[in-house]
């Protein structure tokens, strides 16, 4: 059998094949790098925008509450608004007191309208959580720790619901009603997150209702 020696034409074909494959692989790697960089930058920029929106929300809440002379605490880092239970309820009750209703008549429109009147904020807010908290003092009677926790859970949840329910029925810009109903969430936290002062629980500060914004990049 006669074997034909390789010619320069064969070498040219092989060289062209390997050059073409190398170019293809290089192109695919470059495309992957570009797509990865684009995805990363888009996600990073969205996070920056939403972080700025939360920072803006904190400033807006602080200024609004001060302007309206509303007694509430705004966390400078998270933007969480904390309302003492003394402003809202009688002891061990989840029914809004007359003082509590008068308070929410001022607070609710100021809080809600400040969110929806700010384009940067309203675009980036996914949820508004109304969360009730109690102190860790126990109920009278022979209850286990689990029972004590759940009795306080019931109280904290009912207080959060009372606030959310009243807020959605006070006078605010009702053109945002559909959005608000889809965003508002009620939660109870019992005494799982007490407020500590010098290492000891401050019972009065632990009893509170918090309002917190969940930004779109924080979902899931």
């Amino acid at each position: 059998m006669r074997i034909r020696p390789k010619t320069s034409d064969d070498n040219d074909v092989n060289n062209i094949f390997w050059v073409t494959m190398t170019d293809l692989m290089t192109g695919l790697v470059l495309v992957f790098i570009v797509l990865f960089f684009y995805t990363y930058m888009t996600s990073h920029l969205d996070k920056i925008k939403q972080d700025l929106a939360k920072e803006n929300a904190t400033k807006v809440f602080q200024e609004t509450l001060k302007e309206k002379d509303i007694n509430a605490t705004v966390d400078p880092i998270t933007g969480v608004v904390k309302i003492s239970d003394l402003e809202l309820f009688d002891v061990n009750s989840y029914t809004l007191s007359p003082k509590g209703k008068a308070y929410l008549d001022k607070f609710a429109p100021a809080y809600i309208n400040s969110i929806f009147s700010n384009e940067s904020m309203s675009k980036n807010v996914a949820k508004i959580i109304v969360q009730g908290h109690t102190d860790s003092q126990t109920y009278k009677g022979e209850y286990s720790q689990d029972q004590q926790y759940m009795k306080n859970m019931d109280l904290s949840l009912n207080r959060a619901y009372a606030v959310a329910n009243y807020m959605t029925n006070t006078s605010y810009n009702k053109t945002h009603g559909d959005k608000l109903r889809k965003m508002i969430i009620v939660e109870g936290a019992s005494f799982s997150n007490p407020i500590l002062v010098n290492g000891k629980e401050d019972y009065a500060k632990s009893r509170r209702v918090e309002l917190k914004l969940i930004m779109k990049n924080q979902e899931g």
Side-chain angles (χ1 to χ4, degrees), residues 129-142:
I129 295 180
V130 183
Q131 189 176 68
H133 295 259
T134 68
D135 62 38
S136 61
Q137 295 182 96
T138 57
Y139 283 86
K140 293 180 180 179
E142 295 183 4

Side-chain angles (χ1 to χ4, degrees), residues 113-142:
N113 291 336
S114 65
I115 294 173
F116 291 109
S117 64
N118 186 303
E119 184 177 357
S120 171
M121 206 187 308
S122 62
K123 277 185 177 180
N124 289 289
V125 173
K127 302 293 180 185
I128 302 171
I129 295 180
V130 183
Q131 189 176 68
H133 295 259
T134 68
D135 62 38
S136 61
Q137 295 182 96
T138 57
Y139 283 86
K140 293 180 180 179
E142 295 183 4

